[in-house]
């Protein structure tokens, strides 16, 4: 079974429920529908729970079969098929009774979104059976060397030469490399190989402009039936992806140099847990702001991704899926054609205060090259992959020598890199001792002195001691650990309020005993003649807003909180 949300108008976490059964998409009737049904369906869709459901085709009428009717779930079932219902395809409803759900905007940790375009599936469909996933994913990725005709005298459509003199790539390759997470450019090629096997062609006459976000958007023709010999002497199309500066190991210094050469960037991604995803922010009049999600789509998102050096967009996210931004909302109704080099070249409307709020901030997930970084780090211990109890091991080369990371100097920045590398989201904590987690049979320290800035793609890109290990406490209990979370809080002080409300107050000492106990006064207060005299204080109001996607909780557990009579 597959599930998706559809309909209009809606946000990303609500919509008409459609189910893929027996090779056909269909809907669910709202007869006897309950919140328990919605809980089960929202979990199918990757959300933790449901907050409500909708009847009478609130999100529009579907088409095709009505697969389920009189569904009755308790709420804890693993599949909608485990709930009571009239049987698949047995319904007395019309599409005016299509059911919808409203899911809680919190993803199940580690959930793989089934709506994401996967290059491997696409390639199997278009029939390029000789292009292994390692070619599409395994190169470091900014552009395509070109489509390569394979075999003597090949003149297959799309097998155009590279214009070496100008450094430009012949047109048709950009879309394929965009799906593979590459952008555009010409650099020395990565490895290229094919598997000799019986070929079964599906497509021919593929013609792309290079700006499409997906190969299915190009023009092409289908071969009919068993077409193994259809292509004749011509051979299958092959692409080669090229390494790009964003994905070069140890690139922090080069990245800084490049930014200095290019000047300050005018677009960035914020709030994403992984490389190539985040809330889109743009720089206008020396102030960073966000983009409203009205008419936000894959074409505009792909322009953003390519401008930042990634491939085409995998998802164009609405409804502040990557957290709410702050400050102005600079752009609204951005409508790119897909050919633009920069988002600023796209038509857009200037924002007015009534148009949008930060709950409508646009975000993207970009296709990025498969680097294999997650194969160089793994977790041991812990109750869940994303839960407390994750000790980090690291290795180098094709055959990693697994071991532990020294906990000395290990903190939140290092944990951020480790959680991102593991694909487990944000870091809640970086732990210097992990004695209460079983580290299985891994006992040797293989990495020490790790110091990260927080934006690196791999722990090996951070500063570390290399082969010269130096760890004062080498026992298993002093191995580094992480606690990762799919979502995180993001606290922001309302600075203007502090400035607006600040004032000076002379306060008698007898009213400051509590402040003294809390160490809120300067050290010279100890020398005062208590309870006589006064202190001059700077007073102000403050507000701290949480713009993240998770509740803020203090690091200290409730068991360690202390009651203080002053409060």
């Amino acid at each position: 079974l597959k599930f998706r949300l559809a309909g209009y108008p809606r946000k990303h976490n609500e919509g008409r429920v459609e189910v893929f059964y027996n090779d056909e998409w269909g809907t669910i009737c709202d007869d006897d529908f309950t919140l328990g049904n919605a809980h089960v369906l929202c979990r199918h869709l990757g959300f933790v729970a449901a907050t409500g459901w909708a009847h009478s085709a609130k999100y529009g009428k579907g088409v095709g079969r009505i697969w389920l009717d009189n569904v009755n779930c308790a709420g804890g079932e693993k599949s909608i098929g485990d709930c009571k219902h009239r049987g698949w395809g047995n319904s007395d409803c019309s599409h005016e009774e299509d059911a919808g759900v409203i899911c809680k905007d919190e993803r199940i940790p580690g959930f793989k979104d089934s709506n994401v375009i996967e290059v491997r599936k696409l390639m199997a469909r278009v029939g390029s059976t000789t292009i292994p996933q390692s070619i599409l994913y395994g190169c470091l990725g900014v552009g395509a060397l070109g489509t390569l005709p394979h075999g003597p005298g090949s003149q297959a459509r799309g097998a155009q030469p590279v214009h070496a003199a100008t450094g430009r790539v012949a047109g048709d390759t950009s879309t394929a490399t965009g799906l593979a997470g590459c952008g555009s450019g010409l650099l020395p090629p990565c490895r290229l190989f094919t598997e000799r096997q019986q070929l079964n062609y599906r497509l021919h006459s593929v013609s792309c402009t290079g700006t499409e976000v997906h190969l299915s958007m190009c023009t092409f023709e289908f071969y009919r039936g068993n077409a193994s010999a259809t292509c004749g002497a011509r051979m299958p199309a092959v692409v080669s992806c090229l390494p790009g500066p964003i994905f070069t190991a140890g690139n922090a210094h080069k990245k800084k140099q490049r930014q200095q050469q290019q000047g300050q960037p005018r677009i960035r991604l914020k709030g994403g847990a992984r490389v190539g995803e985040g809330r889109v922010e743009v720089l206008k009049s020396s102030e960073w702001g966000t983009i409203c999600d009205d008419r936000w789509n894959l074409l505009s998102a792909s322009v953003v991704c390519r401008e930042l050096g990634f491939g085409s967009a995998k998802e164009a996210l609405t409804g502040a899926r990557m957290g709410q931004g702050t400050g102005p909302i600079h752009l609204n109704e951005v409508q790119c054609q897909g050919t633009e080099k920069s988002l600023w070249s796209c038509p857009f409307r200037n924002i007015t205060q009534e148009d949008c709020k930060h709950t409508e901030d646009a975000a993207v997930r970009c296709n990025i090259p498969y680097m294999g970084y997650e194969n160089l780090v793994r977790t041991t211990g812990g109750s869940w992959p994303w839960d407390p109890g994750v000790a980090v091991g690291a290795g180098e080369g094709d055959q990693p020598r697994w071991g532990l990371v020294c906990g000395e100097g290990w903190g939140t920045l290092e944990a951020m890199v480790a959680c991102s590398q593991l694909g487990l989201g944000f870091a809640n904590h970086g732990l210097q001792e992990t004695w209460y987690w079983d580290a299985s049979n891994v006992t040797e320290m293989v990495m020490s002195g790790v110091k990260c800035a927080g934006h690196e793609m791999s722990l090996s890109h951070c500063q570390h001691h290399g082969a010269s290990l130096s760890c004062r406490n080498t026992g298993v209990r002093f191995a580094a650990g992480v606690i990762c979370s799919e979502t995180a809080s993001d606290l922001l002080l309302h600075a203007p309020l502090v400035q607006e409300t600040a004032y000076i107050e002379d306060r008698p000492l007898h009213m400051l005993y509590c402040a003294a106990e809390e160490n809120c006064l300067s050290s010279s207060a100890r020398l005062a003649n208590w309870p006589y005299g006064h202190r001059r204080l700077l007073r102000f109001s403050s507000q701290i807003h949480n713009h993240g996607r998770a509740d803020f909780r203090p690091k200290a557990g409730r068991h360690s909180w202390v009651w203080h009579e002053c409060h």
Side-chain angles (χ1 to χ4, degrees):
L1 297 178
K2 294 180 183 178
F3 297 85
R4 68 185 182 191
L5 292 174
Y8 184 85
R10 68 182 185 88
K11 292 187 175 180
H12 63 278
N13 58 327
E14 61 178 320
R16 179 178 66 248
V17 179
E18 297 190 349
V19 57
F20 190 70
Y21 176 78
N22 201 22
D23 290 331
E24 188 178 347
W25 285 101
T27 62
I28 298 176
C29 182
D30 61 13
D31 290 353
D32 300 332
F33 208 87
T34 65
L35 189 62
N37 299 358
H39 282 312
V40 176
L41 288 165
C42 284
R43 287 198 297 272
H44 274 305
L45 292 158
F47 298 95
V48 294
T51 59
W53 60 278
H55 58 84
S56 305
K58 176 186 174 182
Y59 300 103
K61 294 188 285 186
V63 295
R65 299 287 295 273
I66 299 175
W67 279 123
L68 292 173
D69 190 6
N70 299 111
V71 181
N72 188 356
C73 303
E77 291 86 350
K78 289 188 176 181
S79 170
I80 196 75
D82 298 335
C83 304
K84 294 178 181 177
H85 56 82
R86 291 180 58 162
W88 290 96
N90 185 9
S91 169
D92 58 1
C93 298
S94 71
H95 280 297
E96 293 179 350
E97 301 169 83
D98 285 344
V101 294
I102 303 100
C103 301
K104 185 178 179 182
D105 192 8
E106 183 180 338
R107 305 293 283 180
I108 296 171
F111 181 83
K112 301 296 183 187
D113 194 340
S114 61
N115 289 331
V116 172
I117 296 166
E118 292 183 15
V119 174
R120 179 188 292 175
K121 288 182 182 176
L122 171 79
M123 286 304 155
R125 188 165 73 242
V126 303
S128 287
T129 53
T130 60
I131 305 181
Q133 190 182 17
S134 54
I135 288 183
L136 290 166
Y137 276 153
C139 302
L140 305 182
V142 152
L145 177 65
T147 47
L148 306 178
H150 217 68
S154 170
Q155 297 295 320
R157 183 181 181 89
Q160 300 170 347
V162 175
H163 301 307
T166 62
R168 291 180 181 170
V169 179
D172 287 15
T173 60
S174 302
T175 300
T177 53
L179 278 167
C182 307
S184 61
L186 184 60
L187 294 169
C190 295
R191 65 190 176 189
L192 180 65
F193 62 91
T194 59
E195 298 168 355
R196 295 295 177 189
Q197 59 188 46
Q198 179 65 36
L199 304 180
N200 197 3
Y201 293 95
R202 291 282 181 267
L203 293 186
H204 68 92
S205 303
V206 180
S207 181
C208 305
T209 64
T211 58
E212 294 87 350
V213 298
H214 193 274
L215 273 177
S216 63
M217 296 179 179
C218 304
T219 59
F220 55 81
E221 294 180 36
F222 279 107
Y223 282 122
R224 302 295 179 186
N226 183 0
S228 58
T230 311
C231 207
R234 296 168 182 172
M235 298 294 283
V238 177
V239 296
S240 175
C241 303
L242 302 179
I246 297 175
F247 299 95
T248 302
N251 65 346
H253 179 64
K254 292 179 184 176
K255 184 178 178 184
K256 194 173 181 181
Q257 277 184 329
R258 193 168 64 253
Q259 285 178 347
Q260 288 170 350
Q261 291 166 359
Q262 295 175 348
Q264 188 176 12
R266 297 185 64 197
I267 188 165
R268 67 185 184 185
L269 300 182
K270 287 285 183 180
R274 299 170 183 84
V275 176
E277 69 175 32
R279 181 177 61 253
V280 182
E281 297 190 352
V282 292
L283 185 66
K284 184 179 180 183
S285 303
S286 302
E287 189 174 13
W288 286 101
T290 61
I291 297 175
C292 186
D293 63 10
D294 292 352
R295 299 200 179 187
W296 186 247
N297 60 23
L298 275 175
L299 286 173
S300 300
S302 289
V303 171
V304 170
C305 290
R306 286 169 171 153
E307 185 176 354
L308 290 166
F310 304 113
S312 56
K314 186 189 300 183
E315 289 181 88
L317 304 170
T318 57
R321 280 275 296 277
M322 293 292 175
Q324 296 180 34
T326 57
I329 302 173
H330 283 319
L331 307 179
N332 187 21
E333 295 190 15
V334 179
Q335 297 180 68
C336 300
Q337 300 297 313
T339 58
E340 298 86 351
K341 298 288 185 188
S342 170
L343 190 73
W344 291 102
S345 304
C346 302
F348 61 85
R349 273 185 57 203
N350 287 316
I351 203 80
T352 62
Q353 200 164 6
E354 298 78 34
D355 284 337
C356 288
K357 296 183 173 60
H358 281 297
T359 54
E360 301 170 78
D361 283 343
V364 297
R365 280 199 181 100
C366 304
N367 284 304
I368 63 169
Y370 175 75
M371 300 298 296
Y373 289 143
E374 70 275 19
N375 298 326
L376 298 179
V377 63
R378 70 184 186 191
T379 57
T380 58
S383 47
W384 303 99
W386 57 86
D387 224 31
V390 184
V392 180
E396 302 283 351
D398 293 333
Q399 295 295 326
R401 177 169 59 94
W402 291 106
L404 303 172
V405 177
C406 178
E408 197 175 312
W410 182 267
T412 303
L413 290 175
E414 290 71 33
M416 283 169 60
V417 176
C419 289
S420 178
Q421 186 178 354
L422 288 160
L424 297 179
F426 298 95
N428 276 355
H429 301 292
L431 303 153
Q432 297 188 357
E433 290 190 30
T434 52
W435 53 269
Y436 35 85
W437 298 323
D438 174 27
S440 64
N441 58 348
V442 180
T443 57
E444 181 188 3
M445 293 283 181
V446 297
M447 187 180 262
S448 65
V450 180
K451 188 173 180 60
C452 302
H455 56 72
E456 294 88 349
M457 298 184 192
S458 168
L459 286 176
S460 59
H461 295 175
C462 302
Q463 295 180 26
H464 58 90
H465 291 155
S468 307
L469 290 177
S470 176
C471 191
R472 278 181 297 184
N473 301 304
T474 56
V476 172
R477 65 170 291 177
F478 298 106
V482 290
I483 300 175
C484 304
S485 173
E486 192 72 18
T487 56
S489 56
D490 184 10
L491 302 187
L492 189 79
L493 176 68
H494 185 20
L497 183 67
V498 176
Q499 295 174 325
E500 292 164 10
T501 59
Y503 66 98
I504 298 293
E505 181 188 25
D506 290 341
R507 200 166 179 84
L509 281 175
H510 68 83
M511 297 177 68
L512 292 174
Y513 277 109
C514 285
E517 287 182 30
E518 299 265 313
N519 290 318
C520 290
L521 304 180
S522 64
S523 56
S524 61
R526 296 173 191 161
L527 306 176
N529 184 21
W530 290 81
Y532 309 104
H534 67 272
R535 302 292 294 179
R536 178 159 288 180
L537 306 178
L538 174 64
R539 305 292 302 274
F540 56 88
S541 299
S542 74
Q543 284 181 6
I544 297 174
H545 298 274
N546 180 5
H547 288 281
R549 292 181 287 147
D551 293 336
F552 171 75
R553 294 184 177 87
K555 284 191 175 182
R558 196 174 299 175
H559 63 279
S560 62
W561 295 0
V562 177
W563 172 260
H564 198 295
E565 63 182 24
C566 289
H567 298 307

